[in-house]
């Protein structure tokens, strides 16, 4: 996956460097490329499409000036708009699948699964703490300074939402996986996304203010 993504990133940078101030062409190229890479990696090569896209994105971000200067602002706006609508679509589709799977039909989900979801939610935060503690010296070594307050915010406001739902939707639609396992994956991931959005999402602003980071204060 990463090797394929890196190769695609190198080729994409070379192609984009040869295109100069072509707004429609450059935006269409990046949109089409993202979907093409995902399809080829997942359906044709059988490798991780997500890792391929992430690797390609990281490489292209390093050489972001392959995008024409006059196009960068418009392209960023186009991608933000697309991301907004895609997020809406992802949450809508997930809600429909959840409703179809668990409402009015027999299900293997029990009250214990709600408790397991809470335990998983707590374990995810513990995992974030361990990850930040382990990687903090490496980040400092690369020149990225994070105070303990920054680390707290980083742990509390970690990634959540659409990416997790995309991955679990892929699992839920894979008929080669046992339906019971698919339902549990879908339920637990959806619960964790819900908990992080409701708890972490609504309280992150308060945490930032509590730590004094909204004034740019560092210890």
């Amino acid at each position: 996956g990463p090797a394929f993504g890196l190769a695609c990133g190198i080729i994409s940078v070379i192609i984009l460097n040869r295109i100069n101030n072509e707004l429609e062409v450059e935006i269409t190229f990046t949109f089409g490329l993202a979907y093409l890479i995902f399809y080829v990696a997942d359906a044709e090569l059988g490798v991780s499409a997500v890792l391929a896209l992430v690797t390609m994105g990281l490489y292209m971000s390093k050489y972001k000036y392959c995008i024409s200067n006059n196009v960068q602002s418009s392209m960023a706006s186009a991608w933000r708009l697309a991301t907004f609508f895609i997020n809406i679509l992802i949450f809508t589709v997930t809600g429909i699948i959840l409703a179809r799977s668990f409402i009015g039909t027999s299900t293997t989900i029990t009250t214990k699964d709600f408790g397991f979801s809470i335990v998983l939610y707590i374990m995810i935060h513990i995992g974030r703490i361990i990850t930040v503690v382990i990687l903090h010296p490496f980040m400092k070594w690369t020149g990225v300074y994070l105070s303990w307050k920054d680390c707290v915010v980083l742990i509390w406001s970690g990634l959540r939402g659409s990416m997790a739902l995309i991955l679990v939707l892929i699992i839920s639609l894979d008929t080669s996986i046992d339906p019971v396992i698919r339902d549990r994956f879908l339920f637990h991931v959806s619960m964790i996304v819900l908990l992080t959005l409701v708890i972490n999402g609504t309280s992150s602003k308060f945490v930032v203010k509590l730590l004094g980071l909204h004034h740019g204060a560092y210890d």
Side-chain angles (χ1 to χ4, degrees):
F4 176 65
L6 179 61
C8 293
I10 294 172
I11 296 172
S12 301
V13 169
I14 294 173
I15 294 174
L16 286 169
N17 276 324
R18 296 179 178 275
I19 303 174
N20 186 33
N21 292 328
E22 296 287 346
L23 176 63
E24 294 83 0
V25 174
E26 294 184 49
I27 292 178
T28 303
F29 178 81
T30 54
F31 270 97
L33 182 66
Y35 284 97
L36 178 63
I37 298 306
F38 190 96
Y39 172 79
V40 173
D42 185 66
E44 301 298 331
L45 299 180
V47 297
S48 174
V50 175
L51 290 179
L53 277 178
V54 169
T55 305
M56 184 185 72
L58 289 173
Y59 182 85
M60 292 184 68
S61 67
K62 182 179 180 180
Y63 298 97
K64 60 183 178 181
Y65 294 108
C66 64
I67 306 295
S68 304
N69 290 332
N70 295 335
V71 175
Q72 288 185 14
S73 178
S74 299
M75 180 176 289
S77 299
W79 271 103
R80 278 195 295 268
L81 184 62
T83 302
F84 174 75
F85 284 110
I86 290 172
N87 279 329
I88 293 175
L89 181 61
I90 290 168
F91 279 91
T92 302
V93 171
T94 304
I96 293 172
I97 293 177
L98 276 173
R100 188 185 65 181
S101 301
F102 303 131
I103 298 178
T105 60
S106 58
T107 178
T108 57
I109 303 300
T110 64
T111 53
K112 290 183 179 180
D113 288 298
F114 287 91
F116 288 147
S117 293
I118 295 174
V119 172
L120 287 172
Y121 170 77
I122 296 172
M123 290 178 64
I124 285 174
H125 285 78
I126 295 174
R128 288 176 183 168
I129 293 172
I130 295 172
T131 302
V132 171
V133 170
I134 293 175
L135 295 181
H136 186 267
F138 296 97
M139 290 187 288
K140 189 175 181 180
W141 177 69
T142 60
V144 178
Y145 174 76
L146 292 176
S147 68
W148 69 269
K149 293 181 179 181
D150 294 318
C151 291
V152 171
V153 175
L154 182 63
I155 293 167
W156 188 248
S157 59
L159 290 174
R160 58 190 177 273
S162 56
M163 182 55 66
L165 291 178
I166 289 172
L167 295 175
V168 80
L169 283 176
I170 294 174
I171 293 175
S172 69
L173 297 174
D174 190 345
T175 55
S176 64
I177 301 175
D178 185 87
V180 175
I181 296 176
R182 282 186 285 159
D183 286 347
R184 281 208 161 87
F185 262 103
L186 182 62
F187 175 78
H188 288 306
V189 171
S190 299
M191 279 294 297
I192 291 170
V193 169
L194 176 63
L195 289 171
T196 51
L197 287 175
V198 172
I199 299 175
N200 301 59
T202 57
S203 62
S204 291
K205 185 177 181 180
F206 171 76
V207 172
V208 171
K209 287 186 176 181
L210 182 66
L211 295 173
L213 292 178
H214 62 303
H215 295 308
Y218 289 88
D219 287 342

